[in-house]
């Protein structure tokens, strides 16, 4: 009996020795939760490859939220949607935030200021457009109305995600002073004013972010030398399909946005082939996750740039007023 007790004691000691290292290991930590909010500049419109989630949000595994999540091992809820305005973020995206959310990124405001309509107007020939008037209206909105809307939105984000690190993401300058695209007529002066409008948007957005205690990721410098008509471009010019126009392309997200935003959300990293592959592999599960929000997302109306149409009655009237031979002008334009 004594010998059996001794054997059991020895066996027990051996088991304790084997199990102790396992018992002392910390429990596997859950992946940090990352919620990406906002508009088409966050969803990935312009990358030409989107997850099949039953919406027109144009969410891409090539967009910076997917790349950041893949590189960092974050659990991503990719709520950003093409066309989203402040009210859309409030009504359809904030429900994804909880007290367990660790990271939040958001870009919004461009659609509220009517960027698509401004670009559509300014792409027409100067004699046919009111580009300066459209820019003036957008700038007035950015200065006088948008800051209050952002302040209210940012307060709601903080209320729903009280412990999250929140980073507001800005917009790049689109132009470099020349227009190389066929069938658009941006003048150097118009391009300069449009770039100034992007800078104004960033300034007002950064101020609102700072007041809320949020970080701000400014992509301006990362896109300098890579605007529309630069080589290489990080932004699409007038494109087919039209929804891709004037949005960051694959390079714009990987080399422009990701280094800037990633540095504020866990630290800078290189977008390697593995990161791209891991992001691509997340597409199916992310699509399944987003389908639960599809009904709400369908309420968002995409803001789409329209290609210049020189055949409308308004343009014909403007041509006559300016003394332009419209048919000859169109023929010359097609040879550009």
């Amino acid at each position: 009996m004594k010998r059996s007790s001794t054997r059991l004691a020895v066996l027990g000691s051996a088991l304790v020795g084997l199990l102790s290292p396992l018992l002392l290991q910390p429990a596997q930590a859950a992946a940090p939760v990352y919620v990406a909010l906002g508009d088409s500049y966050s969803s990935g419109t312009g990358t030409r490859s989107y997850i099949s989630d039953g919406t027109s949000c144009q969410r891409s595994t090539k967009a910076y939220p997917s790349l950041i999540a893949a590189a960092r091992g974050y659990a991503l809820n990719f709520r950003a949607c093409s066309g989203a305005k402040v009210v859309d973020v409030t009504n359809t995206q904030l429900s994804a935030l909880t007290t367990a959310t660790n990271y939040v990124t958001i870009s919004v405001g461009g659609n509220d200021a009517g960027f698509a309509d401004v670009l559509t107007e300014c792409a027409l020939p100067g004699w046919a457009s009111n580009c300066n008037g459209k820019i003036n209206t957008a700038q007035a909105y950015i200065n006088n109305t948008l800051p209050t809307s952002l302040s209210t939105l940012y307060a709601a984000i903080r209320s729903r995600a009280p412990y999250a690190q929140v980073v507001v993401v800005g917009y790049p300058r689109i132009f470099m002073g020349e227009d190389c695209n066929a069938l658009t007529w941006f003048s150097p002066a118009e391009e300069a004013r449009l770039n100034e409008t992007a800078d104004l948007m960033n300034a007002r957005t950064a101020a609102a972010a700072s007041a809320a205690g949020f970080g701000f990721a400014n992509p301006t410098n990362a896109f300098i030398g890579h605007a529309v008509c630069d080589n290489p471009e990080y932004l699409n010019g007038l494109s087919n399909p039209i929804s891709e126009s004037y949005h960051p392309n694959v390079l714009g997200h990987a080399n422009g946005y990701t280094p800037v935003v990633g540095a504020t959300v866990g630290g800078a990293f290189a977008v390697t082939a593995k990161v791209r592959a891991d992001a691509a592999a997340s597409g199916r599960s992310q699509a399944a996750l987003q389908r639960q929000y599809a009904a709400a997302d369908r309420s968002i109306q995409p803001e789409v740039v329209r290609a210049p149409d020189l055949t409308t009655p308004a343009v014909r009237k403007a041509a006559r007023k300016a003394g332009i031979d419209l048919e000859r002008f169109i023929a010359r334009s097609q040879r550009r």
Side-chain angles (χ1 to χ4, degrees):
M1 191 72 177
K2 183 176 180 181
R3 182 176 297 175
S4 297
S5 297
T6 301
R7 286 178 177 173
L8 287 173
V10 171
L11 180 59
S13 297
L15 287 173
V16 169
L18 290 170
L19 293 174
S20 291
L22 298 176
L23 294 172
L24 292 173
Q25 293 289 327
Q28 175 108 24
V33 176
Y34 169 27
V35 180
L37 306 173
D39 56 21
S40 55
Y41 271 65
S42 289
S43 72
T45 298
T47 62
R48 303 180 185 275
S49 173
Y50 310 108
I51 64 175
S52 180
D53 59 7
T55 77
S56 59
C57 287
Q58 295 189 312
R59 299 181 176 106
S60 176
T61 59
K62 300 179 188 298
Y64 72 80
S66 293
L67 297 174
I68 290 172
R72 295 290 172 209
Y74 295 161
L76 173 64
N77 193 343
F78 199 172
R79 297 296 300 124
C81 184
S82 177
K85 299 179 179 180
V86 169
V87 66
D88 298 309
V89 173
T90 302
N91 293 340
T92 70
Q93 299 181 20
L94 295 191
S95 61
L97 302 175
T98 72
T99 56
T101 303
N102 301 101
Y103 298 102
V104 178
T105 58
I106 176 169
S107 67
V108 73
N111 293 320
D112 297 80
F115 274 5
D117 289 342
V118 173
L119 289 166
T120 295
E121 184 74 15
C122 293
L124 287 165
W127 49 264
S129 76
N130 182 24
C131 180
N132 280 325
K134 283 284 189 180
I135 291 174
N136 290 342
T137 299
Q139 290 186 351
Y141 183 91
I142 293 167
N143 279 321
N144 301 324
T145 304
L146 185 62
T148 300
S149 296
L150 292 178
S151 178
T152 301
L153 173 62
Y154 295 165
I157 290 173
R158 178 51 75 211
S159 175
R160 288 177 173 268
Y163 310 114
Q165 177 184 342
V166 183
V167 176
V168 176
V169 182
Y171 297 91
R173 297 171 184 165
I174 295 176
F175 300 104
M176 48 74 80
E178 298 177 13
D179 186 357
C180 66
N181 290 165
L183 301 180
T184 60
W185 290 271
F186 295 100
S187 72
E190 289 168 345
E191 291 195 353
R193 287 207 71 200
L194 289 165
N195 285 344
E196 289 167 4
T197 304
D199 291 346
L200 177 65
M201 171 70 78
N202 286 343
R204 295 293 177 265
T205 304
S210 178
F214 296 168
F216 183 72
N218 189 341
T220 301
N221 289 339
F223 280 80
I224 290 176
H226 303 289
V228 173
C229 296
D230 270 323
N231 185 22
E233 292 178 322
Y234 285 3
L235 293 143
N236 300 321
L238 187 67
S239 301
N240 184 20
I242 196 73
S243 65
E244 306 282 332
S245 303
Y246 309 113
H247 282 81
N249 55 28
V250 172
L251 286 177
H253 276 276
N255 299 345
Y257 265 119
T258 298
V260 175
V261 183
T264 67
V265 184
F269 62 90
V271 180
T272 62
K274 183 179 186 305
V275 170
R276 290 188 180 92
D278 288 347
S282 72
R284 183 172 295 182
S285 61
Q286 192 60 232
L289 175 61
Q290 296 311 313
R291 286 190 197 106
Q292 68 179 298
Y293 305 104
D297 288 342
R298 291 190 196 107
S299 69
I300 300 173
Q301 297 299 314
E303 298 289 323
V304 178
V305 174
R306 297 180 299 280
D309 183 355
L310 301 186
T311 67
T312 66
V315 170
R316 292 188 180 279
K317 181 179 178 180
R320 289 193 299 269
K321 184 176 180 180
I324 301 293
D325 183 329
L326 187 58
E327 304 309 320
R328 182 176 296 179
F329 183 90
I330 292 174
R332 284 202 310 268
S333 299
Q334 291 173 342
R335 294 194 296 267
R336 286 171 64 186

